[in-house]
Amino acid sequence: MKHLIDPMDLSLQEIDDLLDLADDVIANKEKYAKVCEGKKLATLFFEPSTRTRLSFEAAMMELGGNVLGFSSADSSSSTKGESVADTVKVVSCYADIIAMRHPKEGAPFLASLKSDSPIINAGDGGHNHPTQTLTDLLTIRREKGRLDHITIGFCGDLKFGRTVHSLIKALSRYEGIRFVMISPEELEIPEYLREEVFSDGKLTYEQVRTLDEVMPELDVLYMTRVQRERFFNEADYVRLKDTYILDMPKLKNAKPDLSILHPLPRVNEIAVEVDDDPRACYFRQALNGKYVRMALIMNMLEIA
Ligand code: CP
């Protein structure tokens, strides 16, 4: 049985096939409307979510399947002390596939060791978010027409942002990616990621402190929220939260075909005025998340 815990669980060919399938879903929605009839998806969310949980649920509904689950740990028996392992062992009796989010890094991996149904990591702490990565890759491919030879700037909280960590790992396998990290010193990418992706010297990255100094060079700008829930100290969060705010003056020197991505939710880091600029891709990105999750569910249930 196949689980999806880390973006590197998927080969480049498997990613290509999933993105091709997502493109076909977008072009031919009615073809897929009943393919999951009789199948059930469980969404076990021990941490808040809007996009990931609801797009998973919408994805399964649009495939003709059913959904069950919980949206917070408070409404599950984990409040009575039940372990993740027991929860998942039981839910895998009820559901054909499980999407799970948990604040503890590694919890979905632990779940995968106990589950009788495939587990999809829907975000574990500050670690990984592989289905957001598939969403991001689909968005970049649809917007730019390629996944190689791209200069991408990651801006904001690169320390705690799991979407950043997963996307850096995934993009590290494509040719000609230039990584530019834009963050304060306290929010630079974690040491483990530096070791995993950049330590052998085959790939490098540039670290800068301001958006302005790199804006004209970027093909993709990946903005992120400062992850308040992962800070140990509110004062540090308050000091760092508004370090980067993308507004129209900041875009003055950007390429005309820049693609602005953000996994969302946003707080202040992109001014609302940017939403109307054609370079703002983040709401299209959120929609792509539903289509790529439809592709993933079909793939993991061996329907397509
Ligand atoms: N991008 C993302 O994971 O959003 P949610 O936290 O709303 O699921």
Side-chain angles (χ1 to χ4, degrees), residues 89-267:
K89 184 79 188 160
V90 170
V91 173
S92 65
C93 303
Y94 308 146
D96 302 285
I97 187 163
I98 298 172
M100 178 182 164
R101 171 171 290 187
H102 201 284
K104 286 209 176 116
E105 300 178 358
F109 172 69
L110 176 74
S112 73
L113 303 178
K114 295 289 175 186
S115 177
D116 296 318
S117 299
I119 296 285
I120 301 170
N121 177 5
D124 61 327
H127 197 211
N128 276 312
H129 195 345
T131 65
Q132 181 65 48
T133 300
L134 290 172
T135 302
D136 301 339
L137 294 176
L138 179 65
T139 304
I140 294 170
R141 201 176 79 162
R142 287 180 70 82
E143 299 288 333
K144 305 242 82 77
R146 64 185 192 279
L147 285 170
D148 52 13
H149 298 95
I150 283 170
T151 297
I152 180 166
F154 290 92
C155 180
D157 184 350
L158 313 189
K159 179 179 181 182
F160 295 117
R162 59 192 170 201
T163 65
V164 168
H165 306 159
S166 287
L167 185 57
I168 288 173
K169 287 199 286 186
L171 284 174
S172 71
R173 296 188 290 182
Y174 292 89
E175 287 290 316
I177 302 293
R178 182 179 159 214
F179 293 96
V180 184
M181 312 302 180
I182 308 148
S183 75
E185 190 176 356
E186 295 102 312
L187 297 179
E188 288 183 7
I189 59 168
E191 186 58 37
Y192 88 84
L193 189 65
R194 252 194 293 262
E195 279 291 313
E196 199 174 322
V197 179
F198 299 105
S199 66
D200 65 6
K202 288 189 189 138
L203 279 178
T204 55
Y205 70 92
E206 295 155 58
Q207 174 69 61
V208 300
R209 299 283 175 239
T210 68
L211 258 173
D212 291 342
E213 65 196 280
V214 288
M215 186 67 92
E217 297 158 40
L218 302 180
D219 301 309
V220 176
L221 172 58
Y222 195 92
M223 293 296 295
T224 63
R225 167 180 73 93
V226 176
Q227 306 262 309
R228 179 181 207 157
E229 64 275 31
R230 315 244 180 259
F231 273 73
F232 292 112
N233 166 339
E234 179 72 5
D236 285 344
Y237 168 72
V238 169
R239 183 169 51 81
L240 293 167
K241 70 185 173 70
D242 291 330
T243 309
Y244 304 102
I245 297 179
L246 182 67
D247 54 15
M248 289 313 292
K250 279 251 165 7
L251 282 169
K252 197 169 42 100
N253 297 322
K255 288 185 180 177
D257 66 344
L258 172 71
S259 298
I260 306 164
L261 274 67
H262 190 311
L264 305 178
R266 90 173 129 187
V267 184

Side-chain angles (χ1 to χ4, degrees), residues 49-62:
S49 166
T50 295
R51 273 143 297 275
T52 310
R53 185 173 68 83
L54 296 181
S55 67
F56 260 119
E57 296 187 358
M60 191 50 152
M61 289 176 197
E62 291 192 24

